[in-house]
């Protein structure tokens, strides 16, 4: 009923106005069966979330939907006739030399020694170190701060028209432009303008809190990754402090507003 006259479009899946349901995914404890992408989309066991469906008019309002990125994953596989994981490795991770990043679940035994375990609020380690996330597009990337910084720098260079980058200046400009009815650009949250223009994206799987933040016009930014359910408090404390130490054009007060730094 919601898509009869207004179908979901790709842009809406990227700016969180698609109308698609399921905000996030809890993951699966080690040893549990993992769902296929189709089972995730339909909310069928062993998936542990509801079916991903349109529940309000596309484009009408903001709703954070990890589910929309799972629809996007299926779309990419349909179009490319490749697995999402394989296509992303070939077209994104390898060109950017993100050598310590992989879309993989469960994580291979070979990579276990490199994986940092996650911790819960009560300071206990997650059973087996981490949950498995059978949702590659919306939460299945294993990475490092250095690799994510490479991604942020490349997007910034694309936006500025510098060098041989992953995407064109035209696409980067659309990506870093706030869309209607939301604070999102395409895939990232936008804030500020001119020197204070920035894009950012938080990441939260059970036992982990992370943040990527980049000022494309000044070349400043940060990637912080923590392995604790309380890591968000470290990020909220550290980013304003780092902004002052490195004389950024502004800092974030709990990521809700930009505050100028006195010169």
């Amino acid at each position: 009923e919601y898509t009869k006259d207004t179908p979901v479009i790709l842009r809406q899946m990227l700016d969180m106005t698609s109308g698609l349901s399921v905000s996030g995914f809890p993951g699966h404890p080690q040893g549990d069966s993992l769902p296929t992408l189709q089972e995730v989309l339909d909310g069928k066991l062993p998936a542990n979330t509801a079916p991903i469906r349109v529940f309000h008019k596309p484009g009408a309002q903001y709703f954070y939907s990890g589910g929309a990125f799972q629809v996007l994953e299926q779309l990419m596989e349909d179009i490319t006739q490749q697995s999402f994981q394989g296509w992303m490795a070939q077209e994104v991770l390898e060109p950017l030399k993100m050598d310590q990043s992989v879309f993989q679940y469960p994580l291979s035994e070979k990579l276990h020694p490199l994986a940092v375990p996650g911790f819960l609020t009560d300071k206990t380690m997650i059973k087996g170190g981490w949950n498995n996330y059978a949702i590659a597009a919306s939460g299945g990337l294993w990475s490092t701060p250095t690799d994510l910084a490479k991604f942020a720098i490349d997007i910034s260079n694309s936006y500025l028209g510098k060098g041989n980058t992953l995407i064109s200046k035209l696409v980067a400009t659309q990506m870093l432009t706030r869309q209607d009815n939301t604070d999102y650009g395409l895939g990232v949250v936008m804030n500020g303008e001119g020197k204070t223009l920035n894009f950012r994206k938080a990441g939260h799987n059970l036992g982990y809190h992370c943040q990527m933040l980049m000022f494309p016009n000044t070349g400043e930014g940060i990637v912080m990754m923590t392995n604790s359910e309380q890591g968000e408090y470290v990020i909220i404390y550290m980013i304003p402090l780092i902004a002052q130490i490195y004389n950024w054009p502004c800092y974030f007060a709990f990521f809700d507003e930009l505050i100028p730094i006195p010169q």
Side-chain angles (χ1 to χ4, degrees):
E1 61 180 299
Y2 298 109
T3 59
K4 180 180 179 181
D5 300 316
T6 53
V8 176
I9 61 174
L10 178 61
R11 183 178 299 271
Q12 293 162 348
M13 286 191 276
L14 293 169
D15 72 11
M16 300 299 179
T17 64
S18 66
L20 284 158
S21 62
V22 183
S23 179
F25 301 86
H28 298 263
Q30 296 291 336
D32 282 10
S33 298
L34 299 178
T36 64
L37 175 55
Q38 191 63 56
E39 287 168 337
V40 170
L41 294 173
D42 290 335
K44 293 182 178 180
L45 292 175
N48 54 7
T49 46
I52 299 169
R53 299 291 185 264
V54 177
F55 72 103
H56 67 72
K57 182 180 177 182
Q61 66 188 65
Y62 167 86
F63 175 79
Y64 187 94
S65 175
F69 277 73
Q70 290 314 113
V71 175
L72 178 62
E73 180 179 333
Q74 182 67 67
L75 176 62
M76 290 173 66
E77 292 193 347
D78 291 345
I79 295 296
T80 66
Q81 293 297 297
Q82 299 180 54
S83 70
F84 174 85
Q85 294 92 326
W87 190 91
M88 288 294 292
Q90 177 182 319
E91 300 295 334
V92 178
L93 303 182
E94 292 173 12
L96 293 183
K97 293 183 171 53
M98 295 175 66
D99 301 326
Q100 301 299 312
S101 299
V102 64
F103 288 93
Q104 189 180 99
Y105 53 85
L107 198 63
S108 69
E109 290 293 331
K110 179 182 177 181
L111 294 177
H112 274 212
L114 299 178
V116 178
F119 287 79
L120 303 173
T121 303
D122 64 4
K123 301 181 181 179
T124 61
M125 189 178 77
I126 296 172
K127 183 180 179 181
W130 52 82
N131 279 358
N132 289 314
Y133 287 81
I135 34 103
S138 60
L141 175 67
W142 286 91
S143 192
T144 65
T146 298
D147 273 11
L148 292 178
K150 291 177 181 178
F151 172 80
I153 291 168
D154 193 82
I155 295 300
S156 296
N157 287 339
S158 298
Y159 178 75
L160 298 173
K162 290 183 177 180
N164 183 22
T165 53
L166 191 66
I167 60 177
S168 69
K169 178 178 173 63
L170 175 62
V171 173
T173 299
Q174 292 188 55
M175 179 180 176
L176 302 189
T177 298
R178 188 180 288 109
Q179 305 295 301
D180 294 336
N181 300 321
T182 180
D183 287 334
Y184 266 76
L186 302 180
V188 290
V189 179
M190 298 305 305
N191 207 327
E193 58 185 17
K195 286 186 177 181
T196 66
L197 179 72
N198 64 87
F199 63 92
R200 68 184 192 270
K201 187 67 182 72
H204 175 218
N205 284 346
L206 182 67
Y208 303 89
H209 274 280
C210 307
Q211 180 74 230
M212 177 186 72
L213 167 66
M214 185 75 190
F215 294 84
N217 288 322
T218 65
E220 296 161 307
I222 187 170
V223 178
M224 291 191 68
M225 305 182 78
T226 74
N227 64 324
S228 168
E229 275 295 288
Q230 300 196 64
E232 184 177 23
Y233 299 107
V234 177
I235 293 170
I236 287 173
Y237 173 79
M238 288 298 297
I239 287 185
L241 179 63
I242 291 169
Q244 293 187 58
I245 291 172
Y246 286 93
N247 198 32
W248 287 359
C250 58
Y251 69 87
F252 292 84
F254 299 96
F255 304 113
D256 289 330
E257 59 181 323
L258 290 170
I259 298 178
I261 296 176
Q263 298 299 315

